[in-house]
Amino acid sequence: DGVNQFGRTSDIEVVGLGTNTQFDSPDPAKLKPNLDLAKQYIKLSHDVGGSGVKVKPNNFHDKKQGITREKTLEQVGRSLAELGDFALGFGQEIRLEVHGDMTGLADIRKIMEIAKSDNVRVCWNSNAADRRTTCTVRGVDPGSPMRSGIDPWVEVKRNSCSTSGST
């Protein structure tokens, strides 16, 4: 109840909550607790007046163990679909942080196509490598296939990239 009161009476606007939940583990005993924890954060974000929760896709695993890149992307996408459906009931968005091994545009696009949820979005970090990726995205002609592949999930408000090539 104190959490609900904070959300209603505080002068602080909560945009959303960041989590360290990750959906790449091939072990169901590790995946399920991450999904459950993300759902708790969705409820908490709702209770404090936030609009969404940030989650991570994270890493690829050993192909020698039969865990292909495609299998991992599919698992992350299905996890986001589940969370997106759950979050709808709380008026929340799921914000996929481009993180770990999964920072390539093709990988993020595949994940988002699998997730197929109107309330699942993408957010980039501000690390040097991520700024280069974001600048590449922002600098691409809006009509190009690369740009159109991510536009449904990324809102680009302005081009803040340097033209000198520095990050």
Side-chain angles (χ1 to χ4, degrees):
D1 190 40
V3 171
N4 289 337
Q5 190 65 20
F6 169 81
R8 284 189 223 112
T9 62
S10 175
D11 288 335
I12 298 171
E13 180 181 349
V14 177
V15 175
L17 302 177
T19 76
N20 197 32
T21 56
Q22 306 166 21
F23 309 111
D24 62 314
S25 179
D27 181 354
K30 291 182 180 176
L31 178 60
K32 184 175 179 345
N34 276 278
L35 287 166
D36 291 345
L37 182 59
K39 289 175 182 178
Q40 293 302 312
Y41 270 95
I42 290 165
K43 292 176 185 178
L44 180 60
S45 180
H46 171 268
D47 288 349
V48 298
S51 61
V53 173
K54 180 188 64 67
V55 299
K56 298 177 180 177
N58 230 36
N59 295 307
F60 292 108
H61 296 275
D62 192 352
K63 290 181 191 176
K64 294 175 190 172
Q65 297 175 356
I67 306 162
T68 64
R69 179 182 205 92
E70 293 75 25
K71 183 176 179 179
T72 302
L73 293 172
E74 184 176 326
Q75 177 175 295
V76 172
R78 283 192 326 264
S79 297
L80 293 175
E82 178 180 333
L83 291 176
D85 288 347
F86 182 83
L88 280 173
F90 293 91
Q92 300 291 297
E93 287 185 340
I94 302 300
R95 298 171 181 140
L96 178 67
E97 177 183 342
V98 176
H99 188 271
D101 294 339
M102 297 183 205
T103 58
L105 293 177
D107 293 334
I108 298 302
R109 179 179 181 178
K110 181 69 173 174
I111 289 169
M112 296 302 290
E113 288 172 346
I114 294 166
K116 293 181 187 174
S117 183
D118 291 340
N119 66 327
V120 177
R121 303 280 185 252
V122 177
C123 65
W124 264 266
N125 283 326
S126 58
N127 301 331
D130 299 314
R131 286 196 311 271
R132 281 193 298 276
T133 299
T134 303
C135 290
T136 300
V137 171
R138 289 180 178 165
V140 171
D141 177 1
S144 81
M146 178 189 216
R147 177 70 180 271
S148 64
I150 61 165
D151 269 352
W153 308 290
V154 179
E155 182 178 339
V156 179
K157 294 184 178 174
R158 64 183 175 87
N159 186 342
S160 61
C161 302
S162 167
T163 56
S164 67
S166 63
T167 56

